[in-house]
Amino acid sequence: MRHLERITGTSTPMKIRSTFIIIAAGMFAVISLAGILLVVPHIARANQADDTTIQIIGHAPGVTPFISNVHLLASNTSVIKEIQFTIHPKPGSVTRPLSGTYANFYLIDRGFENQQTGDITLPVSGLYDGFSNLVTLTYRFSDGSSSQANLTIGTAAYDDTCGYKNPLIVKPRTNSTSLSYDYIFISTGGCGNNAPVIIDTDGALRWVNPASTPNSLMASSLFINNAVFETHGPTLSRVDLDGASTVLDDYSSLGVVNFHHNIDPGKTGMLMEADTTSYTESVVMEVDFSGTVLKTWNLANIISAAMRAGGDDPSQFVYPAPTDWFHNNAAYYNRGDDSLIVSSRENFVIGLDYNTGAIKWILGDPTKKWYQFPSLRHFALTLAPGSLPPIGQHAVSVTHDLDLLLHDNGFPSGFQHPIGDSRTYSSPRKYHLDLTAKVATEVWHYDQSQIVYSPICSSVYEDAPLNYLIDYAFAHSSFQTGQGFAELLGLDAQGNQVFWYKYPTMFCNTAYNSRIIHLENTKFPAVAARVQNISTRGAVMTGDDVLINGFIITGSDPKTAVVRALGPSLTAYGLSNVLPDPVLTVHNSSGAVIASNDNWQTDGGATFMSQNGLAPSNPSESAALLQNLAPGNYTVVVTGNNSSQGISLAEVYEISQPGVSSILTNVSGRSFVGIGDNVLISGFIIGDVGSGTVVVRALGPSLATSGVSNALSDPVLTIYDSKGAVIATNDNWQDDNNANLVVQNGLAPPNPLDSAIVVRLPAGAYTAVVRGANGATGNALAEVYSLH
């Protein structure tokens, strides 16, 4: 179900703010972005850290040299909120430290903590093998205090039979920190006894699978939700980073003989590609993270039905097992238009409606057999001039701007005839699909002067915008001998090669598919990708020209949140003309006032806010603890006491509660947009894991129809990442490349001068800034909608 409700607050629309808030660990950062100020308080130190003794008793080797179990003894475990380990990089490395944080309840649930004795076993994974690792432990307590301890963990050397530890270095990792990722998950085609593996961008091996079946051929695998999921035959297992392995399900009863190629991210779970008793490599299943089947797409049935409807005979194209007529090697869920993208190496890339399975489009080589059937040609996208079709492609996905990304191998069909074109090189390619005009335009490729040919397997994925990882799985190869090289190449947003490693391989055994993962801030349990912890900065004046923050709680459980309105403390960050005495009022969806505050120390939740690092630094600022909020729409209105005016920052903090499934989503904020610092700024966070797809809007002229006076005549919307880099910008929403997705999701702004952007973002903090075109001023509304 999609959560696309519009937030309308009391009698006027609402919006989000312009600071990035990182609440997960109880700490907050200050981000300066081109003169735009984003704030965060420091950790409040209380007494529990001083009153609680945590001793490091020792550590024992884990199931592989990359894992160690640290034995702790705590004088009182009940006050521990979480424990974080951080592995310091080797000297000279510019990679971000590998780090994981365990919630205390997770340690208890996993049996790592004895609450009676105070004994804690803390798994530390991702260590360097054969090395003395410096590890920092950070203990965080319920009252917001924290303490740290350091230890050194020496590890044994790992016996690497696949050569991951000794690549041929074409280009060593540069000293640049511009690359958005530092860790790589490698799915192998059957090399060694510990596949899959994790390396860092220095080329160092950091984790191997302790539960792997020796030399298992083409076992599918995926790192998601901070765990490894892998298949063997018809079974699916989960392997945690601490080495624990659990068989989730066996799908033999559903006719599954084997899972092959990829496991890919799905809509709510994982997409697995199955061989069944009826069809070979043409069935896609989505399962949740416990292994329960959610949905199945049988491409043989889907394509056969379309061919019959179009007057063709499917028996001339679709074949039963064991014929490999389709050769499905990847699938991907596109949240932007609720579709499933499936790669058929033999034929094409095909887009399906997620719910109905109906064919939406086909992109492929028109010289192949599929194009001879009018029923399939009906769905074909025309290639724009200068664009090449994908041939024998692998690893389909969507990029930050919702374009199609894939690895074009250049290898023709093996079963279907005619086999189509072929090339003597391989290249990642990116296409913009205009489904209204039925045109596919190649907008990027990386063909390396056409010198690298990897005919099978291989992958390319994007992390932050334009940061790529390319895997040539079988380059400079020979089908006769099976020998070649697996090559991993990293590109930053400027197109610079940051590293390039080569590994001898037999066919796809060493690096069938490689994905970008983030291990610098893992959470246990995992926090799914979604919009959370939002804020809005803008000018507070009088009348309609006030600051308004809106948010929606979805789910079935009551939720706790903290709302704040800052003013005087903003001067510490270079802002002038700040609101001297902000007053906040919280309304529910019916417009009733459910909370209000002038000075935060008078709120009933002042102690809680102080203990959790959420207390404003100035007593004139406002804050309120909102407990047991029922699911629904809420509005926070910030005004000035005694009609005072100035710049203010409104914030909403989601408080994590074990067992509570409700979440904060679809947030918005409204304020007056002036010039200089007086712009509207909304900050939001995409949760800790994976990527999220959002629609961000900036409304101006359409607000007049809602009764808002002095509306901004022409808003311009720009989205920045946490480093201040521009991700996307838009003036008039209909001019955006993905305007059709805005319409399809029911989020088309009422006025063509309003702005809107659809964007897929990796986990992290982001800012949406609204300015007036040509110096225009007036009230504007910024909104962030999470597509679920």
Side-chain angles (χ1 to χ4, degrees):
M1 175 179 177
R2 288 165 180 260
H3 305 291
L4 300 175
E5 304 95 323
R6 183 172 175 206
I7 307 171
T8 54
T10 51
S11 59
T12 54
M14 322 173 300
K15 103 146 234 140
I16 42 185
R17 106 173 149 145
S18 159
T19 29
F20 302 138
I21 313 168
I22 302 162
I23 194 169
M27 55 171 61
F28 303 85
V30 179
I31 300 172
S32 179
L33 163 52
I36 299 165
L37 187 36
L38 307 157
V39 197
V40 214
H42 297 289
I43 298 176
R45 304 283 302 187
N47 292 324
Q48 288 175 348
D50 297 330
D51 294 342
T52 306
T53 300
I54 302 180
Q55 296 176 275
I56 300 175
I57 305 301
H59 55 85
V63 290
T64 73
F66 305 96
I67 303 170
S68 182
N69 296 308
V70 178
H71 181 197
L72 306 175
L73 182 63
S75 60
N76 181 5
T77 63
S78 66
V79 297
I80 298 174
K81 179 181 179 181
E82 60 190 21
I83 302 177
Q84 178 182 14
F85 70 83
T86 301
I87 302 170
H88 294 242
K90 286 184 175 181
S93 173
V94 296
T95 59
R96 280 158 283 228
L98 192 153
S99 181
T101 300
Y102 295 97
N104 194 43
F105 68 86
Y106 177 89
L107 294 171
I108 296 170
D109 292 345
R110 287 289 309 278
F112 291 135
E113 179 179 313
N114 187 319
Q115 294 174 282
Q116 283 69 46
T117 65
D119 285 284
I120 300 172
T121 298
L122 190 78
V124 177
S125 57
L127 296 162
Y128 296 100
D129 76 301
F131 187 72
S132 294
N133 294 264
L134 176 60
V135 179
T136 297
L137 302 182
T138 302
Y139 314 116
R140 297 191 181 91
F141 298 88
S142 301
D143 65 353
S145 61
S146 65
S147 61
Q148 287 187 332
N150 292 321
L151 75 155
T152 299
I153 300 177
T155 56
Y158 173 69
D159 183 15
D160 175 24
T161 60
C162 295
Y164 295 113
K165 292 169 60 175
N166 297 291
L168 174 62
I169 300 175
V170 180
K171 185 179 185 63
R173 173 70 156 88
T174 68
N175 291 326
S176 171
T177 57
S178 61
L179 192 68
S180 66
Y181 62 91
D182 294 292
Y183 300 96
I184 300 168
F185 178 79
I186 301 177
S187 297
T188 79
C191 181
N193 296 338
N194 296 113
V197 304
I198 295 172
I199 67 170
D200 63 27
T201 52
D202 291 326
L205 194 58
R206 303 300 294 271
W207 189 89
V208 299
N209 181 7
S212 178
T213 301
N215 295 309
S216 54
L217 180 62
M218 293 296 290
S220 306
S221 60
L222 176 68
F223 183 84
I224 191 170
N225 275 18
N226 293 340
V228 174
F229 292 83
E230 64 171 358
T231 63
H232 293 288
T235 65
L236 173 68
S237 299
R238 172 190 171 111
V239 183
D240 288 291
L241 289 178
D242 57 50
S245 179
T246 306
V247 176
L248 298 178
D249 212 334
D250 185 319
Y251 302 91
S252 301
S253 62
L254 300 179
V256 174
V257 177
N258 180 60
F259 290 107
H260 58 88
H261 288 92
N262 287 6
I263 303 177
D264 291 297
K267 184 173 184 176
T268 57
M270 300 172 290
L271 300 169
M272 304 200 303
E273 294 140 23
D275 289 332
T276 69
T277 53
S278 301
Y279 294 102
T280 298
E281 300 199 4
S282 53
V283 174
V284 179
M285 300 166 53
E286 182 168 11
V287 304
D288 66 18
F289 299 112
S290 65
T292 302
V293 176
L294 303 173
K295 197 169 181 63
T296 299
W297 297 265
N298 186 318
L299 274 298
N301 292 342
I302 291 170
I303 291 174
S304 293
M307 294 183 72
R308 291 189 193 97
D312 289 324
D313 178 6
S315 69
Q316 301 302 305
F317 185 69
V318 179
Y319 296 85
T323 302
D324 189 10
W325 68 276
F326 191 75
H327 201 96
N328 170 213
N329 57 29
Y332 200 87
Y333 174 68
N334 183 3
R335 209 167 294 278
D337 65 355
D338 196 28
S339 67
L340 182 72
I341 301 171
V342 180
S343 171
S344 163
R345 192 197 73 184
E346 278 289 304
N347 307 296
F348 42 56
V349 182
I350 186 170
L352 308 176
D353 181 275
Y354 177 88
N355 293 301
T356 67
I359 299 174
K360 301 181 69 171
W361 53 266
I362 292 176
L363 174 63
D365 175 9
T367 67
K368 288 192 174 188
K369 182 177 182 179
W370 70 272
Y371 200 77
Q372 296 180 351
F373 298 99
S375 58
L376 299 180
R377 194 164 61 242
H378 168 74
F379 298 102
L381 300 178
T382 300
L383 285 158
S387 301
L388 291 176
I391 299 174
Q393 72 289 323
H394 287 72
V396 292
S397 65
V398 295
T399 58
H400 73 282
D401 47 7
L402 282 297
D403 285 341
L404 173 66
L405 181 67
L406 52 80
H407 197 289
D408 181 359
N409 297 74
F411 191 63
S413 299
F415 170 76
Q416 304 281 13
H417 285 77
I419 63 174
D421 288 338
S422 62
R423 303 191 186 101
T424 58
Y425 68 97
S426 303
S427 175
R429 296 191 195 281
K430 177 179 169 182
Y431 300 88
H432 177 70
L433 308 185
D434 184 340
L435 300 186
T436 302
K438 298 186 69 174
V439 173
T441 304
E442 184 181 338
V443 294
W444 177 80
H445 63 261
Y446 193 76
D447 63 15
Q448 299 227 70
S449 301
Q450 303 182 6
I451 62 172
V452 180
Y453 183 44
S454 180
I456 57 175
C457 308
S458 308
S459 60
V460 59
Y461 294 104
E462 182 191 55
D463 186 47
L466 307 183
N467 286 253
Y468 298 104
L469 171 64
I470 303 171
D471 176 350
Y472 301 102
F474 190 43
H476 307 291
S477 54
S478 166
F479 276 111
Q480 285 71 35
T481 65
Q483 295 179 333
F485 286 93
E487 304 188 15
L488 300 182
L489 172 63
L491 301 177
D492 67 14
Q494 288 72 46
N496 300 312
Q497 294 181 356
V498 180
F499 63 86
W500 188 352
Y501 307 130
K502 297 174 66 173
Y503 307 84
T505 189
M506 289 293 292
F507 294 105
C508 301
N509 283 2
T510 303
Y512 163 77
N513 176 284
S514 298
R515 297 176 188 264
I516 297 162
I517 63 173
H518 287 273
L519 298 180
E520 61 270 24
N521 189 30
T522 49
K523 299 288 194 304
F524 304 97
V527 178
R530 56 187 174 83
V531 174
Q532 58 180 142
N533 303 336
I534 47 91
S535 56
T536 303
R537 202 202 78 187
V540 174
M541 302 170 75
T542 58
D544 282 339
D545 302 336
V546 294
L547 179 60
I548 305 174
N549 226 12
F551 61 96
I552 294 176
I553 294 174
T554 61
S556 57
D557 301 317
K559 188 72 177 172
T560 296
V562 170
V563 295
R564 311 195 317 172
L566 308 184
S569 63
L570 300 183
T571 58
Y573 305 99
L575 282 180
S576 58
N577 190 31
V578 299
L579 187 64
D581 190 0
V583 177
L584 69 79
T585 305
V586 183
H587 302 258
N588 63 17
S589 58
S590 67
V593 175
I594 62 171
S596 62
N597 180 260
D598 184 357
N599 303 319
W600 73 270
Q601 291 171 323
T602 64
D603 187 76
T607 300
F608 175 89
M609 289 183 275
S610 296
Q611 290 177 342
N612 286 276
L614 293 171
S617 59
N618 190 292
S620 295
E621 294 174 325
S622 303
L625 174 64
L626 307 176
Q627 294 180 294
N628 298 317
L629 288 176
N633 296 12
Y634 295 90
T635 306
V636 181
V637 180
V638 180
T639 57
N641 191 23
N642 296 320
S643 299
S644 56
Q645 301 181 27
I647 296 173
S648 181
L649 177 67
E651 304 169 308
V652 181
Y653 292 90
E654 178 181 17
I655 305 301
S656 176
Q657 298 165 276
V660 175
S661 61
S662 295
I663 60 173
L664 199 69
T665 185
N666 301 346
V667 293
S668 65
R670 201 201 82 190
S671 180
F672 184 83
V673 175
I675 57 176
D677 283 341
N678 297 317
V679 293
L680 174 58
I681 310 173
S682 289
F684 60 96
I685 290 175
I686 302 293
D688 294 316
V689 175
S691 300
T693 303
V694 295
V695 177
V696 185
R697 309 199 310 179
L699 307 186
S702 59
L703 296 184
T705 61
S706 301
V708 178
S709 60
N710 194 21
L712 183 63
S713 59
D714 189 359
V716 177
L717 171 65
T718 306
I719 301 175
Y720 298 85
D721 67 14
S722 59
K723 293 183 179 180
V726 174
I727 291 175
T729 188
N730 176 258
D731 184 355
N732 303 321
W733 73 270
Q734 292 173 327
D735 296 335
D736 189 75
N737 282 339
N738 292 314
N740 62 308
L741 299 181
V742 178
V743 175
Q744 184 172 325
N745 284 286
L747 292 171
N751 192 295
L753 294 178
D754 293 325
S755 301
I757 296 170
V758 185
V759 65
R760 176 181 172 272
L761 300 170
Y766 300 91
T767 301
V769 178
V770 181
R771 299 179 174 88
N774 301 315
T777 62
N779 284 302
L781 173 70
E783 305 170 306
V784 180
Y785 293 89
S786 180
L787 301 184
H788 295 289

